[in-house]
């Protein structure tokens, strides 16, 4: 049984930092590209960042580039999202997702196909 379990969310003030973690089990983690999505109330879910299975390539949505960093530790089956200089507009439920893909193309990294989703963790940034 595959599980993706996010942690690290919380309530912070604008300008603060948070680090989200997503621990995976039940799969061969190093075969999966990983993504962080977020969904704010009344908005569609959007991809925030993505990282290939070997961490060779990463992707960031424009509004977080330079503030957020995605990383992974394949020995710990965990992907991270370091979020700095948080803004109120970053408030959302953050989800991690896994896609069975071990290549290094952006087309593959950002394919709409998702194999597994986590349950989400709430991030709230107050002004």
């Amino acid at each position: 049984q595959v599980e993706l379990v996010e942690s690290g969310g919380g309530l912070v003030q604008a300008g603060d930092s948070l680090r989200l973690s997503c621990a995976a089990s039940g799969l061969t983690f190093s075969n999966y590209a990983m993504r962080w999505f977020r969904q704010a109330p009344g908005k569609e879910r959007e991809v925030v960042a993505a990282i290939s299975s070997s961490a060779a390539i990463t992707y960031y949505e424009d509004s977080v580039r330079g503030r957020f960093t995605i990383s992974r530790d394949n020995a710990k089956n965990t992907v991270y999202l370091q979020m700095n200089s948080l803004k109120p507009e970053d408030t959302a439920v953050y989800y991690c997702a896994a896609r069975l893909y071990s290549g290094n193309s952006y087309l593959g990294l950002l394919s709409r196909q998702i194999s597994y989703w986590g349950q989400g963790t709430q991030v709230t940034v107050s002004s």
Side-chain angles (χ1 to χ4, degrees):
Q1 179 180 353
V2 175
E3 273 197 308
L4 301 178
V5 180
E6 301 98 333
S7 61
L11 172 62
V12 297
Q13 293 188 329
D16 286 351
S17 298
L18 278 175
R19 188 174 84 152
L20 304 183
S21 299
C22 171
S25 61
L27 51 72
T28 303
F29 186 69
S30 58
N31 289 344
Y32 285 79
M34 299 299 294
R35 250 176 275 184
W36 285 98
F37 289 80
R38 67 185 178 187
Q39 187 165 21
K43 295 189 176 181
E44 291 188 356
R45 190 174 297 188
E46 63 175 357
V47 62
V48 175
I51 188 167
S52 63
S53 60
S54 64
I57 60 171
T58 56
Y59 163 86
Y60 297 95
E61 192 268 332
D62 285 348
S63 68
V64 308
R65 189 174 293 117
R67 299 188 298 123
F68 290 11
T69 302
I70 190 170
S71 62
R72 65 189 295 157
D73 185 338
N74 285 352
K76 295 183 178 180
N77 288 1
T78 302
V79 62
Y80 304 98
L81 186 67
Q82 178 67 42
M83 306 187 293
N84 298 331
S85 304
L86 282 162
K87 304 176 181 180
E89 51 264 43
D90 294 319
T91 295
V93 178
Y94 283 71
Y95 301 89
C96 71
R99 175 172 189 253
L100 182 59
Y101 176 70
S102 55
N104 289 309
S105 80
Y106 283 98
L107 192 64
L109 180 65
L110 299 175
S111 166
R112 298 182 70 176
Q113 292 178 319
I114 296 293
S115 304
Y116 304 103
W117 289 93
Q119 84 289 348
T121 186
Q122 176 70 46
V123 172
T124 303
V125 185
S126 64
S127 58

